[in-house]
Amino acid sequence: MRMIILITLLSMFYASSRSQDNKAIPPDVIDAFSMLYPAVKDVTWKNKAVDFEANFAQNEKIVSLLFDKSGNLKEVESEINESDLPTNVSIVLAREYTDWTIRKVARVEISGTSRYKAEIEKEDQFMELIFNTHGIISKESKE
């Protein structure tokens, strides 16, 4: 009986927190998302101080959209398979990061320009690399 009450309370808290999260998202942003992806109903929203991020699954991959407060789409990040990386990006990863393990790769679209993100790790180090289609690193951040 305690378990049922606990599960019910947790479900109510989760539903309540999700609706509160959506209330913090401007209606223009939610409308813009709904216009782009009308069939997607399971969306997680994040308030990123200035921008708003929508995350959802599509074809068993994670997609993240970044909107400004007016609902203008700024960025689309779609998880991809390693085999979908441009050859130049794959060559750089294989040649310069041989001891690193690739955790996740994604295609990032910003203003019609494709970039590729690779999250890599080695032992207790983590790095995020952003490549252009030619395999040139435009951003490298370490954690």
Side-chain angles (χ1 to χ4, degrees), residues 11-29:
S11 297
M12 289 171 49
F13 174 75
Y14 176 73
S16 166
S17 68
R18 284 184 58 103
S19 65
Q20 287 175 358
D21 288 346
N22 285 353
K23 287 180 184 174
I25 307 300
D28 289 343
V29 173

Side-chain angles (χ1 to χ4, degrees), residues 36-37 39-40 55-63 76 78-79:
L36 293 169
Y37 294 91
V40 175
N55 295 291
F56 59 96
Q58 185 177 48
N59 301 324
E60 299 181 16
K61 301 287 185 186
I62 301 298
V63 178
V76 178
S78 305
E79 187 177 6

Side-chain angles (χ1 to χ4, degrees), residues 100-125:
W100 295 75
T101 302
I102 298 173
R103 290 180 38 190
K104 177 183 167 186
V105 292
R107 180 178 6 291
V108 181
E109 299 285 332
I110 302 172
S111 301
T113 302
S114 292
R115 300 274 188 251
Y116 293 87
K117 178 169 85 171
E119 295 178 3
I120 59 176
E121 67 182 342
K122 177 173 75 170
E123 297 167 9
D124 61 343
Q125 299 176 346

Side-chain angles (χ1 to χ4, degrees), residues 22-141:
N22 285 353
K23 287 180 184 174
I25 307 300
D28 289 343
V29 173
I30 293 173
D31 290 346
F33 175 83
S34 297
M35 293 286 289
L36 293 169
Y37 294 91
V40 175
K41 302 298 178 207
D42 190 15
V43 182
T44 303
W45 288 96
K46 291 181 186 174
N47 186 334
K48 299 280 209 170
V50 176
D51 297 320
F52 302 91
E53 183 178 329
N55 295 291
F56 59 96
Q58 185 177 48
N59 301 324
E60 299 181 16
K61 301 287 185 186
I62 301 298
V63 178
S64 297
L65 305 177
L66 192 65
F67 294 91
D68 67 15
K69 66 181 178 184
S70 299
N72 297 309
L73 182 62
K74 295 175 68 174
E75 178 180 304
V76 178
E77 180 177 313
S78 305
E79 187 177 6
I80 61 173
N81 295 319
E82 230 179 289
S83 60
D84 295 328
L85 286 171
T87 303
N88 292 330
V89 173
S90 296
I91 289 170
V92 171
L93 285 169
R95 187 180 58 222
E96 297 182 26
Y97 299 94
T98 55
D99 333 358
W100 295 75
T101 302
I102 298 173
R103 290 180 38 190
K104 177 183 167 186
V105 292
R107 180 178 6 291
V108 181
E109 299 285 332
I110 302 172
S111 301
T113 302
S114 292
R115 300 274 188 251
Y116 293 87
K117 178 169 85 171
E119 295 178 3
I120 59 176
E121 67 182 342
K122 177 173 75 170
E123 297 167 9
D124 61 343
Q125 299 176 346
F126 175 79
M127 192 179 320
E128 182 178 284
L129 305 168
I130 305 292
F131 296 87
N132 67 15
T133 55
H134 303 291
I136 296 170
I137 298 172
S138 60
K139 181 179 176 189
E140 179 180 308
S141 56

